[in-house]
Amino acid sequence: MKKTILVTGGAGFIGSNFVYLLLDERKDYKVVCVDALTYAANIHTLNKAMQNPNFKFYKEDIRNREGIFKIFEDEKPDIVVNFAAESHVDRSIENPAIFLETNILGTQVMMDACRKYGVERFHQVGTDEVYGDLPLDRPDLFFHEDTPIHTSSPYSTSKASADLLALAYYRTYGLPVTISRCSNNYGPYQFPEKLIPLMINNATQNKPLPVYGEGLNVRDWLYVKDHCYGILAVLEKGKVGEVYNLGGHNEKANIEIVKIILQELGKPESLITHVADRKGHDRRYAIDPSKANKELGWGPTTMFNEGIKLTIQWYKDNMDWMRECTSGEYMQYYQKMYANR
Ligand code: NAD
Ligand code: TYD
């Protein structure tokens, strides 16, 4: 009999890439996607999945206990992977409340449903931002799984809270929990509020590229499909109660990323505009993925040079998708965040 895997946030960036990976490479799973379709989702992302008999979609909010429990009653998932979250740091600085509600209380609802109906695994998709940041002048330092939680933004604080709650559910109730903490992802279907798709979108329209501060902050980039393979590896080979860091030792300063995008698109560097820095801006993220390498045999397969080309090409080929994301609410958001920056 097919196992049922319930994926929350599957209409968003990483969740949708994970849904497609499952449908393509794990045909023995029935995939149930639960997503509230917030501003960050684009339902057209799932067009192809909707035609697959192994896929079922529910529009539901993970904060809605009754609705979530009903889905568990009907679908009886064996495995739950929780991607659903408010995910953008800048929005969390503007309005923290929804981050606490979805990322903490929503995760609690999902885990309560898992406890009530029984699952073989609840996997929480976490972030390296829970470790805070590292200094720019200490390239020898990395985030390990036992690096203390030391958050900077309301976003990372809400994600850290969810991780701690998941570990508490493991210890207190014996819920079979795993957690992965990944570095910054890039690739198809990322909403253009995040650095890479925002810069691609602006550059293609010859609009200014708003770099925060000097652009020297460093992020550790991982191609989204490699993150999805990492989560699969945790599900298939990971130990319950454990945290796994996922990253590929691919650190780049923001300004480097922006220049690569301009070069790939054949656009001038004069489009770069330095704007006011983000409040509390984390300086450097850098993952030590050696636990996942050793214990799961996982490592990235798409190098940045190749991944960024694939990503830019994907956005060029999917301008309609980008236009759907940037109509409506996005214009107001952009105006509010960047007009007087
Ligand atoms: P995203 O913002 O692109 O997608 C989030 C999805 O969750 C959207 O489809 C949205 O509709 C859905 N959602 C939001 N609130 C919901 C709610 N209350 N109920 C149901 N669905 C809801 O985010 P993403 O970049 O795909 O990130 C997915 C997960 O991975 C998040 O938990 C994030 O913290 C984590 N993560 C992201 C990155 C990254 O670089 N993007 C890195 C590490 C970890
Ligand atoms: P982002 O994609 O928001 O991811 P995160 O903050 O979770 O790492 O931002 C990546 C980096 O790019 C971060 O250092 C902030 C910077 N940034 C800009 O310089 N300009 C922008 O318009 C955005 C969205 C981000």
Side-chain angles (χ1 to χ4, degrees):
M1 214 177 78
K2 274 188 196 299
K3 280 195 179 176
T4 297
I5 181 162
L6 188 154
V7 177
T8 71
F13 167 43
I14 309 173
S16 62
N17 278 279
F18 188 69
V19 162
Y20 282 118
L21 184 64
L22 290 175
L23 294 176
D24 289 344
E25 299 189 19
R26 293 293 184 280
K27 296 190 192 317
D28 47 338
Y29 282 135
K30 176 182 173 192
V31 182
V32 173
C33 172
V34 175
D35 197 298
L37 299 181
T38 69
Y39 80 89
N42 182 342
I43 190 63
H44 298 299
T45 298
L46 291 175
N47 280 349
K48 224 171 79 207
M50 296 290 190
Q51 290 156 21
N52 190 314
N54 277 344
F55 180 78
K56 195 159 172 190
F57 179 78
Y58 288 89
K59 180 177 185 310
E60 186 55 89
D61 194 312
I62 61 166
R63 293 169 298 172
N64 179 7
R65 187 169 286 266
E66 214 177 300
I68 292 296
F69 277 41
K70 174 80 171 69
I71 294 170
F72 271 69
E73 215 161 283
D74 292 345
E75 297 294 343
K76 303 188 172 46
D78 301 284
I79 297 167
V80 173
V81 183
N82 189 33
F83 290 92
E86 289 292 333
S87 68
H88 190 36
V89 172
D90 291 322
R91 288 187 194 250
S92 83
I93 294 168
E94 292 298 305
N95 178 19
I98 181 79
F99 284 74
L100 309 187
E101 288 166 17
T102 289
N103 300 0
I104 308 173
L105 299 178
T107 300
Q108 184 202 4
V109 168
M110 292 307 300
M111 292 194 295
D112 283 344
C114 290
R115 281 185 65 210
K116 172 155 187 201
Y117 295 97
V119 291
E120 62 183 66
R121 181 71 62 84
F122 173 80
H123 182 76
Q124 174 67 5
V125 180
T127 166
D128 62 352
E129 300 193 25
V130 302
Y131 301 120
D133 65 351
L134 295 165
L136 290 174
D137 60 356
R138 290 291 307 274
D140 54 314
L141 296 181
F142 295 94
F143 296 140
H144 310 279
E145 285 80 0
D146 56 4
T147 297
I149 301 285
H150 187 82
T151 56
S152 314
S153 70
Y155 163 68
S156 55
T157 304
S158 68
K159 292 294 291 182
S161 307
D163 283 8
L164 295 176
L165 195 62
L167 292 172
Y169 270 53
Y170 165 69
R171 168 112 186 216
T172 308
Y173 306 118
L175 188 71
V177 166
T178 44
I179 297 175
S180 51
R181 293 185 180 142
C182 192
S183 56
N184 286 59
N185 285 213
Y186 68 101
Y189 299 117
Q190 186 169 30
F191 190 80
E193 64 188 350
K194 305 280 169 48
L195 179 74
I196 290 180
L198 186 146
M199 297 300 171
I200 295 173
N201 187 39
N202 284 17
T204 51
Q205 298 175 63
N206 301 309
K207 286 190 184 156
L209 308 196
V211 171
Y212 298 167
E214 295 298 303
L216 299 179
N217 300 60
V218 169
R219 296 294 183 262
D220 185 358
W221 294 94
L222 184 70
Y223 192 60
V224 62
K225 197 165 186 181
D226 281 323
H227 182 188
C228 295
Y229 278 126
I231 293 170
L232 262 189
V234 176
L235 292 178
E236 293 172 352
K237 297 182 210 153
K239 268 181 35 201
V240 299
E242 293 288 317
V243 174
Y244 297 89
N245 280 355
L246 302 174
H249 284 302
N250 183 51
E251 293 176 49
K252 297 226 178 300
N254 296 335
I255 193 76
E256 280 181 78
I257 298 278
V258 171
K259 286 183 179 171
I260 291 170
I261 291 171
L262 287 170
Q263 198 183 8
E264 286 293 326
L265 289 171
K267 300 287 181 176
E269 289 191 4
S270 55
L271 286 175
I272 295 173
T273 312
H274 291 275
V275 300
D277 210 348
R278 174 185 279 172
K279 291 190 183 86
H281 199 171
D282 280 339
R283 293 161 296 176
R284 169 175 170 250
Y285 300 147
I287 281 264
D288 170 11
S290 52
K291 179 176 174 183
N293 295 161
K294 275 195 220 110
E295 294 185 18
L296 312 174
W298 174 86
T301 55
T302 302
M303 295 305 110
F304 189 77
N305 290 350
E306 184 196 344
I308 194 70
K309 285 193 171 73
L310 289 172
T311 302
I312 292 173
Q313 192 56 47
W314 186 87
Y315 281 100
K316 280 166 122 177
D317 294 343
N318 289 276
M319 276 299 163
D320 285 348
W321 182 93
M322 183 67 99
R323 271 190 289 273
E324 282 154 13
C325 294
T326 53
S327 61
E329 193 265 356
Y330 183 84
M331 297 312 289
Q332 289 152 29
Y333 167 80
Y334 199 88
Q335 185 71 12
K336 181 175 168 206
M337 303 299 272
Y338 294 96
N340 302 310
R341 193 158 185 148

